[in-house]
Amino acid sequence: MAANEPGQPQSDVELTSRDLAVPTSALAIGAHPDDVEFGCGGTLAKWAAAGCVVHHLVLTDGSRGTWNPDADTAALARTRQTEQREAARRLAGNRAGTVVFLEQVDGELDSTLALRGEVARVIRELRPQVVLGHDPWKRYRLHPDHRHAGLLACEGIVAAREIGRAHV
């Protein structure tokens, strides 16, 4: 969303872009199927083209990703997983890595200790050089799933480095 769109804060800061070193592997954590592509798809595609292996971790099942009140939510969740795997393949080509789904109910994500442990487990298994996720402190970040996903990404990174510790 652009800073000049209704409801967004006015900013006098000029946005700049710079090329960062390409990591050998990256893990993008999204609350829902398609959040990764909307949030950082361009960066991941660029990195993949330069040799980076791109992994995805999707926290919810995407079962509420429709306006149809009569939708079969189980079928929708299966469809969203299929779409996410295809999106990962198209985004990174032969550099597409693992796509992991934690299958939490869409709209009910919470940053619990158990989920922090699951995120940490995925980070430990995949050992990405870079982790990308939602910014949980972003102004006007209204969707609770996005805030919790951002917190889980931050907390999961910290917990992943605490291998063998009792608190996950």
Side-chain angles (χ1 to χ4, degrees), residues 13-24:
V13 177
E14 183 178 328
L15 299 177
T16 59
S17 176
R18 60 186 163 139
D19 287 327
L20 301 173
V22 176
T24 56

Side-chain angles (χ1 to χ4, degrees), residues 12-160:
D12 296 331
V13 177
E14 183 178 328
L15 299 177
T16 59
S17 176
R18 60 186 163 139
D19 287 327
L20 301 173
V22 176
T24 56
S25 65
L27 171 64
I29 301 174
H32 310 100
D34 78 21
D35 283 348
V36 167
E37 292 73 26
F38 279 109
C40 57
T43 297
L44 293 174
K46 181 178 179 179
W47 285 352
C52 177
V53 174
V54 176
H55 304 285
H56 290 71
L57 173 57
V58 180
L59 302 178
T60 70
D61 61 7
S63 62
R64 294 194 180 141
T66 181
W67 293 108
N68 179 358
D70 300 320
D72 178 344
T73 57
L76 180 58
R78 287 189 302 275
T79 298
R80 299 294 304 274
Q81 283 193 10
T82 300
E83 291 171 345
Q84 185 62 50
R85 286 187 183 96
E86 179 63 13
R89 186 192 65 74
R90 289 181 184 216
L91 185 81
N94 66 350
R95 305 303 295 174
T98 304
V99 180
V100 178
F101 300 93
L102 293 189
E103 300 180 342
Q104 299 299 297
V105 176
D106 192 347
E108 298 179 18
L109 187 63
D110 201 357
S111 45
T112 65
L113 186 60
L115 279 176
R116 177 194 311 168
E118 286 298 305
V119 172
R121 178 188 57 77
V122 171
I123 293 170
R124 287 178 188 149
E125 288 175 3
L126 297 176
R127 302 185 57 79
Q129 188 178 16
V130 172
V131 177
L132 299 99
H134 298 276
D135 179 352
W137 299 285
K138 185 176 183 177
R139 279 181 78 181
Y140 303 102
R141 173 61 70 200
L142 299 179
H143 198 305
D145 285 353
H146 293 176
R147 283 197 316 271
H148 287 292
L151 290 170
L152 286 165
C154 294
E155 294 168 355
I157 291 166
V158 172

